[in-house]
Amino acid sequence: DAKTTQPTSMDCAEGRAANLPCNHSTISGNEYVYWYRQIHSQGPQYIIHGLKNNETNEMASLIITEDRKSSTLILPHATLRDTAVYYCIVRVFGGFKTIFGAGTRLFVKA
Amino acid sequence: DGGITQSPKYLFRKEGQNVTLSCEQNLNHDAMYWYRQDPGQGLRLIYYSQIVNDFQKGDIAEGYSVSREKKESFPLTVTSAQKNPTAFYLCASSSGQGRIYGYTFGSGTRLTVV
C-alpha cells in the first residue's frame, strides 16, 4: 500500500469548514483513499472512502484530485466533538497490510 | 448491536510476565487484526488473520503471538520477549465482501509494564 503525507496539526473555528489535506503521490490505480478519525484513547472510526470520484456522506466530503495524487477531507461545519486525529490511508481493495501514519491532529476551537 | 469488544481496557503487567489481550467480534467478519499505537504515533500492524486457523505476521510481530481458533476471537499474547510492551493495543476486523468499507476497530487495551 502507498504511503500518505499529512500535516501534523491544524486548527479550525467551531462552525467553520475544516479542510484536511493528504498527499498520496505514489497511489496506484487499484488503491482507494480512506479517512478515519481517532478521538483520544478510542479506536479509529471510519469516515469515508473513494477511488477517483468525489464522495459525500453524513459525516464529511472527500475531494480527490483528477490525478489522484492528493485528496481533501472536508468537515462542513466543525464542532468541538470533531477534535481528533484524522488518518488518511490508501489501500488496495481487500488489502490487509494497511499503513496508518501519524495523521493530522485537528483542534476545533470555540 | 454488532461490534468488537476488547478487554480489559487497562492492563498492568510485571516485567517478565506474559499477558493475553482479548478481542471478540460479533460482526461475522472474516479478517481480524492487531495494531500497536505508541503516544503521538500512528498504528503499526502486529498480526492479522484472514480466516480461522490462519494468521500472518505484520510489521512488528516479534515478542507477540496470536491464535485464531474461532471466527469471533483473535487473542493477542504479549510475551516476555517483547522489549517495550507498554502501549495502546487496538483490535480491528473487516469482512470479506464488505472489506471495501475498511475496518471496524475496538476501543483498545492500554497495557502498562510496571
Side-chain angles (χ1 to χ4, degrees):
Chain A
D1 294 339
K3 288 191 175 180
T4 62
T5 304
Q6 298 177 253
T8 303
S9 65
M10 296 181 63
D11 291 343
C12 178
E14 187 178 22
R16 305 297 290 269
N19 297 286
L20 289 85
C22 179
N23 287 321
H24 30 80
S25 58
T26 61
I27 192 171
S28 58
N30 62 345
E31 287 183 312
Y32 289 75
V33 179
Y34 290 80
W35 283 84
Y36 289 80
R37 74 178 182 185
Q38 185 178 26
I39 296 171
H40 183 61
S41 295
Q42 297 182 22
Q45 173 192 24
Y46 165 83
I47 301 173
I48 198 167
H49 75 280
L51 183 61
K52 50 186 174 182
N53 297 321
N54 297 338
E55 303 287 345
T56 296
N57 63 20
E58 65 279 3
M59 290 182 68
S61 295
L62 174 60
I63 308 298
I64 302 174
T65 58
E66 192 168 342
D67 63 8
R68 303 208 324 123
K69 293 185 177 182
S70 66
S71 61
T72 301
L73 178 75
I74 301 172
L75 308 178
H77 305 288
T79 71
L80 298 179
R81 288 178 296 178
D82 291 322
T83 292
V85 177
Y86 288 77
Y87 297 99
C88 167
I89 64 173
V90 293
R91 179 167 171 254
V92 175
F93 175 74
F96 293 97
K97 298 186 74 173
T98 303
I99 299 172
F100 283 82
T104 296
R105 189 170 297 273
L106 176 69
F107 296 95
V108 180
K109 300 181 178 181
Chain B
D1 287 337
I4 295 183
T5 301
Q6 289 188 242
S7 61
K9 191 171 180 65
Y10 298 96
L11 189 57
F12 297 89
R13 189 194 91 175
K14 292 183 179 179
E15 283 195 38
Q17 285 184 338
N18 292 356
V19 65
T20 297
L21 282 59
S22 171
C23 178
E24 303 277 335
Q25 55 100 357
N26 61 3
L27 299 165
N28 199 33
H29 283 177
D30 299 312
M32 297 187 74
Y33 314 78
W34 275 105
Y35 286 90
R36 170 181 171 139
Q37 186 174 35
D38 292 288
Q41 307 210 3
L43 283 63
R44 292 185 290 169
L45 183 64
I46 305 173
Y47 269 99
Y48 65 98
S49 168
Q50 300 179 48
I51 57 172
V52 174
N53 292 323
D54 184 59
F55 48 84
Q56 284 79 39
K57 293 182 179 180
D59 300 319
I60 56 165
E62 185 175 352
Y64 299 98
S65 65
V66 294
S67 63
R68 186 87 186 276
E69 297 177 1
K70 298 186 301 181
K71 188 176 185 178
E72 301 80 17
S73 178
F74 191 42
L76 173 74
T77 297
V78 184
T79 74
S80 57
Q82 171 48 236
K83 301 297 182 196
N84 184 20
T86 294
F88 188 48
Y89 290 88
L90 286 159
C91 179
S93 70
S94 63
S95 71
Q97 293 183 349
R99 204 175 295 134
I100 190 170
Y101 293 104
Y103 306 102
T104 301
F105 282 88
S107 56
T109 293
R110 191 167 298 279
L111 173 64
T112 303
V113 174
V114 296

